[in-house]
Amino acid sequence: MYQCQQCSSLVSANTPSYSLVIQKRKQSYPKRSKVNEHHKEGKAKITDDPGGTGFEIVKEIAVCRACYDALCE
């Protein structure tokens, strides 16, 4: 049982909730050297992480099926 964070209705038990991303931000990640360790045939190999850019979730809410369908159209 949960309360929808969009319409504030109380949803009955055993009904799934749906996550909806409300806000996200652009983020850049720096290059890191020698941080990933992989094992192949008993030998360890250390590789670099190239870094890059992407998006991070800032705010996410749990909504009912009706609100999810209405907001995702």
Side-chain angles (χ1 to χ4, degrees):
M1 203 169 214
Y2 66 95
Q3 186 172 9
C4 177
Q5 293 178 334
Q6 179 67 25
C7 66
S8 299
S9 65
L10 194 60
V11 181
S12 62
N14 297 325
T15 304
S17 66
Y18 297 88
S19 295
L20 191 63
V21 175
I22 298 299
Q23 188 179 9
K24 58 186 174 179
R25 65 174 168 235
K26 191 169 186 175
Q27 181 68 29
S28 62
Y29 302 98
K31 179 180 178 181
R32 301 180 302 161
S33 60
K34 299 180 182 177
V35 292
N36 297 328
E37 185 174 336
H38 305 282
H39 294 276
K40 187 173 184 181
E41 298 174 4
K43 296 181 182 179
K45 182 179 180 183
I46 298 175
T47 59
D48 296 339
D49 180 20
T53 60
F55 289 95
E56 290 181 340
I57 295 173
V58 176
K59 188 172 182 181
E60 184 176 36
I61 61 173
V63 296
C64 62
R65 177 65 189 220
C67 290
Y68 183 79
D69 290 339
L71 293 171
C72 289
E73 287 181 344

